[in-house]
Amino acid sequence: MIGKNKKNGVREILLMGVFWRILFIEAVLLVYSLFYRWFTEDAGPSDLFWYAIRIILLVGIIIIFMMVTLKKFLKDKIIIPLESLAAANKEIQKDYTKAEKIDLADDSPDEIKTIVTSRAAMLKQILAVSEERLHLVNFIKETFGRYLSQTVVDEILASPEGHKIGGTRKEVTVLMSDLRGFTSLSEDRDPEEMVQLLNRYLEKMSKIILKYDGIIDEIIGDAILAVFGAPKSHGNDPERAIACAIEMQNCLAILNIGVLESGYPCLEMGIGINTGIVIVGNIGSEVRMKYGIVGDAVNRASRIEANSIGGQVLIGESTHSQVKPTTKVMPAQHIMMKGMKKPLVFYSVLAIETQDYKVALKESIPSDARLAIKLPFQYWTIRDKRVSSLPILGETITMDESNIYATTDQPIDLYTDIKLNFNFCVEAHCFDDIYAKSTSTQMEQNQFCTKFSITAMGENDKNIIRKWMKETSV
């Protein structure tokens, strides 16, 4: 430890080393002289005593002379240059970027000059490598932070074992979102325009997820899989996920204003949230891996999201049990889904209010603003992305640009996806196929009454309905 123990300093070591060596040599000479005089001259004790005193005084004078002259010589030639070098190196430990230049006298030893020159060259190289490494680390963080969460990137880079395959069991809250009807919309649009639109949407949603400390695990087309509680839990992961989802829905409503001005149809998004145990970590092989999550909680979040409609935030039973006191929801919905032994239970969220978050979904169109109109239509059920071959007849009771309330010839299971078509044209405009989901059904006056929540509808068709609603409200 340089500078902490003065006895180990170069000044003390050199001077004391010279002193003891001179003293040892003089002591040997003294003893030799005494024995020689006693042996050759047969001197008595008194003569030897005074002879020894004279020798000791002479030795003392020699030692004092040598120490004074050597001290100045060693100090100027060796000690000061080495102490300057040690002090400069000590400063580097505090801040390596402030490496000071060491000034040496012209007559300093060549070896010390070589050390100083080599040190300067080595520091220059170290600074260059360190700066290059810092740029590389920042580049990796910035680049991969766009593909992974910045938190995940920091964790992988910080740990020597971060790149290895493996994971841990952890309770997380999974958020899945998906745009409604975006695939069919893409079929009639320029691919480059649709990518630009999708990027606008994903940029807004990603910023909100990161704002709530969520991790974007995957972006698959227009779908987002986000995780709250990995790699570290915040203690309020379900609340953060719900508040994030509500803000995402409200943000999409604002985003749609600009989307409409750009000539695109409104975007609608469904969100499903579920909490449960998953495996979190590096998944894959040595050839190709990803940081992600695996588990039944992810599958359930996907199932819940599949039952959502545009503008909805649905949460699973496990999530609801943790946020029940702070979250306002609609009554529980139960649906039996393929491959599940028990019904899937979920709740439609309206608002959440905690110490940290207070957000609510923007109100949908009020019931008194709906258009009361009877329009015949036919629809086909969709199961596992297969459209049934035989149509079922129905007739609207009321409708708006988001929902159709209708009577049907046959009962329809709750949360069934359908393709609906009005079999008439108006003002030289024929309605395109409308995709919807049955969100409530009941018997009224011996008729099957169903609410269909629209998941995909052409903008021209919406404009016709808006026009009718405006005319009837006047």
Side-chain angles (χ1 to χ4, degrees):
M1 299 295 291
I2 298 175
K4 287 192 175 181
N5 190 345
K6 293 296 183 182
K7 293 182 180 180
N8 292 330
V10 64
R11 184 186 298 263
E12 288 72 18
I13 290 175
L14 282 176
L15 294 178
M16 293 308 296
V18 170
F19 172 78
W20 287 112
R21 280 159 179 79
I22 293 175
L23 186 61
F24 175 77
I25 293 171
E26 297 297 342
V28 171
L29 290 174
L30 173 62
V31 173
Y32 172 78
S33 298
L34 290 174
F35 271 98
Y36 181 81
R37 186 178 179 86
W38 174 72
F39 183 74
T40 58
E41 299 181 6
D42 194 22
S46 179
D47 293 335
L48 291 175
F49 173 77
W50 291 109
Y51 181 74
I53 293 297
R54 290 195 300 271
I55 294 296
I56 291 172
L57 291 175
L58 181 61
V59 168
I61 293 171
I62 293 173
I63 291 176
I64 293 172
F65 174 77
M66 292 295 293
M67 291 302 296
V68 170
T69 56
L70 274 176
K71 181 176 181 181
K72 186 176 187 315
F73 173 78
L74 293 175
K75 178 180 178 182
D76 294 340
K77 301 298 183 182
I78 297 176
I79 295 176
I80 290 179
L82 289 179
E83 286 181 341
S84 299
L85 183 60
N89 289 340
K90 194 173 182 180
E91 288 299 318
I92 292 176
Q93 294 178 357
K94 299 178 182 178
D95 187 353
Y96 71 90
T97 62
K98 297 180 179 179
E100 297 181 357
K101 182 181 178 181
I102 301 175
D103 295 323
L104 296 178
D106 294 336
D107 57 349
S108 297
D110 292 338
E111 289 80 1
I112 296 180
K113 289 182 179 179
T114 302
I115 293 174
V116 172
T117 304
S118 302
R119 171 186 175 276
M122 185 169 55
L123 284 175
K124 183 177 180 182
Q125 185 175 1
I126 291 174
L127 288 173
V129 172
S130 299
E131 187 175 355
E132 183 179 348
R133 182 179 180 275
L134 182 61
H135 284 313
L136 180 60
V137 170
N138 289 336
F139 171 77
I140 292 173
K141 287 184 176 181
E142 182 179 351
T143 301
F144 285 93
R146 299 178 182 179
Y147 296 90
L148 296 171
S149 163
Q150 193 64 53
T151 305
V152 174
V153 174
D154 291 340
E155 183 182 82
I156 292 175
L157 293 178
S159 171
E161 307 296 323
H163 67 284
K164 292 188 177 181
I165 295 174
T168 56
R169 293 174 63 85
K170 184 180 288 287
E171 182 178 83
V172 300
T173 298
V174 183
L175 180 152
M176 297 196 73
S177 70
D178 190 23
L179 288 180
R180 298 293 176 254
F182 190 81
T183 303
S184 59
L185 179 66
S186 303
E187 295 174 355
D188 302 324
R189 297 271 179 167
D190 180 72
E192 186 174 343
E193 291 182 357
M194 296 313 298
V195 170
Q196 291 177 355
L197 175 60
L198 183 59
N199 287 341
R200 287 172 61 183
Y201 158 77
L202 292 175
E203 181 181 8
K204 292 289 187 182
M205 299 302 114
S206 299
K207 287 181 178 179
I208 295 173
I209 293 172
L210 295 178
K211 171 186 172 182
Y212 285 90
D213 292 325
I215 291 177
I216 300 174
D217 180 74
E218 264 190 292
I219 295 178
I220 308 173
D222 59 343
I224 301 174
L225 170 60
V227 186
F228 296 81
K232 295 180 181 179
S233 174
H234 289 61
N236 61 344
D237 303 320
E239 288 90 344
R240 287 188 297 114
I242 293 172
C244 174
I246 294 175
E247 187 166 333
M248 287 170 67
Q249 290 289 15
N250 292 341
C251 177
L252 185 59
I254 299 173
L255 178 64
N256 274 330
I257 298 174
V259 169
L260 286 172
E261 292 175 351
S262 300
Y264 297 105
C266 284
L267 301 176
E268 293 186 340
M269 172 178 60
I271 298 179
I273 296 174
N274 188 57
T275 302
I277 301 295
V278 299
I279 303 297
V280 183
N282 294 324
I283 301 167
S285 67
E286 294 295 340
V287 178
R288 174 72 170 88
M289 72 173 66
K290 69 179 286 290
Y291 186 95
I293 58 173
V294 176
D296 182 62
V298 183
N299 181 49
R300 284 182 172 271
S302 177
R303 299 261 184 136
I304 293 170
E305 182 276 323
N307 287 286
S308 66
I309 59 173
Q312 255 189 339
V313 175
L314 301 182
I315 62 173
E317 193 173 19
S318 58
T319 304
H320 179 256
S321 65
Q322 297 190 35
V323 300
K324 189 174 181 180
T326 59
T327 307
K328 183 180 179 181
V329 298
M330 299 288 286
Q333 301 292 328
H334 303 72
I335 181 171
M336 200 70 198
M337 300 195 73
K338 181 179 178 180
M340 298 184 69
K341 296 180 180 180
K342 295 181 180 179
L344 183 67
V345 181
F346 51 85
Y347 303 78
S348 180
V349 176
L350 300 177
I352 184 170
E353 184 173 352
T354 69
Q355 185 177 355
D356 300 317
Y357 311 110
K358 184 178 180 181
V359 284
L361 279 175
K362 293 183 178 179
E363 294 184 5
S364 59
I365 300 173
S367 58
D368 56 1
R370 298 185 188 120
L371 173 66
I373 188 172
K374 291 189 176 184
L375 299 174
F377 63 85
Q378 54 186 355
Y379 70 92
W380 295 260
T381 58
I382 303 174
R383 301 185 187 279
D384 297 327
K385 298 184 178 181
R386 292 194 295 268
V387 180
S388 62
S389 57
L390 297 177
I392 303 172
L393 300 180
E395 186 178 56
T396 64
I397 302 173
T398 62
M399 64 183 299
D400 53 48
E401 57 186 277
S402 301
N403 301 284
I404 296 174
Y405 299 82
T407 58
T408 58
D409 289 349
Q410 296 180 20
I412 183 171
D413 293 335
L414 201 59
Y415 299 106
T416 300
D417 291 306
I418 67 164
K419 182 180 78 170
L420 182 149
N421 187 269
F422 290 116
N423 47 13
F424 69 93
C425 299
V426 57
E427 298 178 1
H429 171 77
C430 295
F431 282 85
D432 292 329
D433 290 336
I434 298 172
Y435 292 87
K437 183 188 295 288
S438 61
T439 51
S440 67
T441 181
Q442 58 186 352
M443 282 290 295
E444 290 185 8
Q445 299 178 355
N446 297 324
Q447 289 182 311
F448 300 105
C449 296
T450 304
K451 173 188 175 183
F452 295 104
S453 295
I454 298 172
T455 56
M457 184 180 189
E459 196 62 26
N460 291 332
D461 296 345
K462 287 185 178 181
N463 289 333
I464 292 292
I465 294 176
R466 291 188 189 112
K467 179 182 177 183
W468 289 346
M469 293 174 64
K470 185 176 180 180
E471 291 174 348
T472 57
S473 63
V474 176

